[in-house]
Amino acid sequence: DLPWSVRCVRSHTALGLKIDKRHEMYRPPTFREDSLEIQHQLIREFPLGTLVTVGPSGLIADSVPFVISDSEGEYGTLRVHL
């Protein structure tokens, strides 16, 4: 099972986005969880998350419900309802 940061880099690369270690989010070891099964369970139990986007006026953060599908994609598919 790959660490979250590696999966992020792979998914960003698949989308054609360039990412390197300088852009990786810092995750203190105390709060780090690399188990995909536990990550998915956490999303199911606490589906409200923050979607951050950038627009002409800067960053926009919205609280939105997320849904995880374990059976789609190599690591699952995360969907959001706007």
Side-chain angles (χ1 to χ4, degrees):
D1 193 30
L2 296 172
W4 178 87
S5 56
V6 173
R7 293 193 302 268
C8 256
V9 169
R10 282 189 173 179
S11 64
H12 279 77
T13 304
L15 293 171
L17 302 174
K18 187 175 181 181
I19 283 200
D20 59 40
K21 282 283 192 187
R22 294 173 295 163
H23 298 101
E24 186 176 307
M25 183 176 87
Y26 173 68
R27 296 179 303 137
T30 303
F31 303 108
R32 182 180 181 135
E33 179 53 67
D34 288 326
S35 166
L36 190 59
E37 183 178 317
I38 293 173
Q39 291 174 11
H40 286 195
Q41 187 62 36
L42 181 67
I43 294 167
R44 281 196 250 347
E45 290 178 15
F46 303 97
L48 189 64
T50 304
L51 177 65
V52 179
T53 56
V54 65
S57 61
L59 293 175
I60 301 167
D62 293 296
S63 295
V64 293
F66 285 86
V67 176
I68 188 77
S69 172
D70 296 358
S71 60
E72 296 179 55
E74 187 176 356
Y75 302 106
T77 299
L78 189 59
R79 290 193 171 82
V80 62
H81 178 73
L82 298 176

